[in-house]
Amino acid sequence: MRINQDYLQHDDYTDVITFDNSEELKMIVGDIFISLDRIKENAVNFKSTTLDELCRVMIHGTLHLLGYKDKTKAAKTLMTEKEDFYLVKRDF
C-alpha cells in the first residue's frame, strides 16, 4: 500500500502498479510491482487460479508499458480484451 500512497495518492491496495520509465520512443523501460497477496484474493473472488491472476496482471502491467490506459470504461474494456487475448496464448 505504501507505493499507492507515495506515488498515486491512493489509500487502497491494488494488484499491480506500473511505472513507465521510458525516455526514448520505441524503447520500453519500466517497473511493474505486483502484490501476491492481492493476486491470491482476486483469484478467490474471481473464481480463478492464482497463476491465471498472476499472468493477467503481468500482461496488464506490460500493456500499460505499451501505452494502454484503463481510466475510462472503453479503455478498461479494451485492456480486458487484450489481457484475455494474451492469456490464451500461454503455452504451459
Side-chain angles (χ1 to χ4, degrees), residues 41-81:
E41 289 175 14
N42 286 350
V44 171
N45 292 337
F46 299 133
K47 296 178 177 46
S48 181
T49 67
T50 300
L51 180 59
D52 284 348
E53 284 303 306
L54 177 59
C55 290
R56 181 176 294 279
V57 299
M58 290 170 60
I59 292 166
H60 186 91
T62 302
L63 288 170
H64 275 307
L65 292 178
L66 293 172
Y68 289 89
K69 308 292 184 205
D70 60 359
K71 295 296 181 191
T72 67
K73 184 174 180 160
K76 187 174 178 97
T77 298
L78 177 60
M79 286 278 282
T80 301
E81 289 172 359

